[in-house]
Each structure stands twice: as structure tokens, then as C-alpha cells.
Amino acid sequence: QMQLQESGPGLVKPSETLSLTCIVSGGSISSYYWSWIRQPPGKGLEWIGYMFYSGSINYNPSLKGRVTVSVDTSKNLFSLKMNSVTAADTAVYYCARDSGSRGNWYFGLWGRGTLVTVSS
Amino acid sequence: QSVLTQPPSASGTPGQRVTISCSGSSSNIGSNSVSWYQHLPGTAPTLLIYSNNQRPSGVPDRFSGSKSGTSASLAISGLQSEDEADYYCATWDDSLKGVFGGGTKLTVL
């Protein structure tokens, strides 16, 4: 049974870089598309970006320029980096398995999420 | 402000049928399929419906989805106490981004 587990610092200072990883267990990372999604406290879900192991990547235009996603097939994990963070980036960050189809877009599996707080 | 519009709350008594709406536009729901998720705080969200009306294996047939034009709906029949959760709709927008609804908190009275 495939499982996803996010990890990374729970506290990041303003203007610094947020770095998270998502470890994929029970299956190959090369078989699927993967996305990052976040939920600020008391707010709804926001899609951050998706990637495929071969290099296909797309970011939410509202975050483009600050976000980088990457995949490490040797470790079966994928990563998120977000620079110049502010308090508005405080959120629970989720990794998820993406359907890979934009016309039929959905997430079949999610991680439990990790809370990242941006504060000095 | 979410791109897709959902009512912030819904409620029902055990055994009742409740529906949750999700309203969008021609660039998102009007041209792409809708998915629905159940989220209990502190846990991983789970996929309830994909391709507008398809249930993944393991999702009870009490949950059903539909889409018409630029709107979609999630229906839950035979409401149970364990259905109390937050529900989100999602789809792709032709502006090249994924979009979610703001979420609906379902209370089982």
C-alpha cells in the first residue's frame, strides 16, 4: 500500500527558504505525477505545483518565481522549496499523488501534512 | 477567495440526504472534470469522487457526484455521524492551474 510522508522544519524565518520533502513508500515515484498543496490556518486548499520524474513541471502562477519542485528517483522522494517566505506562507503543506491528467485532475493519495510556521 | 464557490457549512440528521454544491466557470468546471475530497482535521484528505461521478474502490455508494454546466454537486445519502468532516471540490482551470473550493463543513446533528 503506497504511503506518503512529508517532512521538514516546522518553523522558518521570514525571507528565508522553506524546504520540504515527501517520501513515497510502497511504490515507485516514477510511475505517477506528484503535487504539493497547502492549507493556511482557517482557509481552503491551494495547489502549489506538480511534477513528473522525467522533468514535466507546472507551478501555480500565483507562486511562480518563488517555488521549485524536484524529484529524487534514487531515494523515491520529491521536494518543495519556496523562497522569500512571509507569514502568509504559514500553512499545512501536503504532498499528494496527482492523476497526471489536467482534464481529469484529482489526487488519489495524500500525505497527512506538515505544519510550517513562518515567524521570527 | 477561492476560485470555486462552496457553501461554508451544511448539516443534516442521521439517515438524511445532504448535497454540497460547487460553482465555477467555463474555464474550470465547464471544461474539466471535478473531484471531491473528505478531510478530517489532522488527517490526510481522502478522494471521494473523481471524473465528476466516479467512486474509488472503498468509498461507500452513499457518496455520489454530479456535474452540470459550470456547477457540480456532492450528495451524501444515509448520513452517518462519521461523515462529519470538511469537504472540498477541485478541478483544473484552463489558466494552467489547479483550483479548489473553499470547503464545506458538514455537521451531523
Side-chain angles (χ1 to χ4, degrees):
Chain A
Q1 180 118 359
M2 184 175 280
Q3 292 184 316
L4 309 180
Q5 178 65 58
E6 304 91 347
S7 64
L11 182 64
V12 181
K13 290 183 168 54
S15 80
E16 294 191 345
T17 297
L18 177 161
S19 295
L20 296 174
T21 60
C22 179
I23 297 175
V24 179
S25 58
S28 173
I29 200 168
S30 303
S31 300
Y32 297 94
Y33 278 72
W34 305 96
S35 270
W36 286 99
I37 298 149
R38 69 180 181 178
Q39 184 174 31
K43 296 187 178 181
L45 298 165
E46 179 182 32
W47 172 72
I48 296 171
Y50 74 71
M51 79 208 78
F52 191 56
Y53 81 100
S54 62
S56 175
I57 292 174
N58 191 22
Y59 300 118
N60 188 322
S62 68
L63 297 170
K64 212 167 186 177
R66 290 206 298 133
V67 174
T68 304
V69 297
S70 59
V71 61
D72 186 335
T73 54
S74 66
K75 296 180 180 178
N76 225 41
L77 61 80
F78 58 105
S79 301
L80 169 71
K81 290 188 186 300
M82 180 181 296
N83 58 34
S84 305
V85 297
T86 69
D89 295 312
T90 294
V92 175
Y93 286 77
Y94 298 95
C95 57
R97 190 179 69 200
D98 188 307
S99 64
S101 169
R102 300 314 125 197
N104 186 15
W105 183 67
Y106 61 90
F107 304 106
L109 183 67
W110 296 62
R112 293 190 63 164
T114 186
L115 174 63
V116 178
T117 301
V118 179
S119 175
S120 54
Chain B
Q1 190 83 3
S2 300
V3 173
L4 305 180
T5 301
Q6 295 181 236
S9 63
S11 63
T13 56
Q16 257 190 337
R17 182 177 187 270
V18 297
T19 61
I20 297 172
S21 61
C22 176
S23 178
S25 68
S26 58
S27 67
N28 43 64
I29 293 179
S31 20
N32 299 298
S33 294
V34 176
S35 57
W36 289 90
Y37 304 87
Q38 181 188 61
H39 187 206
L40 292 160
T43 68
T46 57
L47 176 66
L48 282 178
I49 298 289
Y50 67 99
S51 299
N52 302 323
N53 55 18
Q54 301 299 301
R55 281 187 310 275
S57 60
V59 173
D61 59 6
R62 302 187 296 106
F63 294 89
S64 62
S66 64
K67 176 184 134 175
S68 178
T70 59
S71 293
S73 291
L74 172 71
I76 309 172
S77 59
L79 197 62
Q80 299 179 3
S81 57
E82 55 260 40
D83 298 332
E84 190 161 288
D86 298 325
Y87 293 84
Y88 293 89
C89 59
T91 189
W92 188 256
D93 191 287
D94 292 341
S95 63
L96 300 182
K97 68 176 182 179
V99 291
F100 287 92
T104 298
K105 184 176 181 62
L106 176 63
T107 301
V108 181
L109 302 170

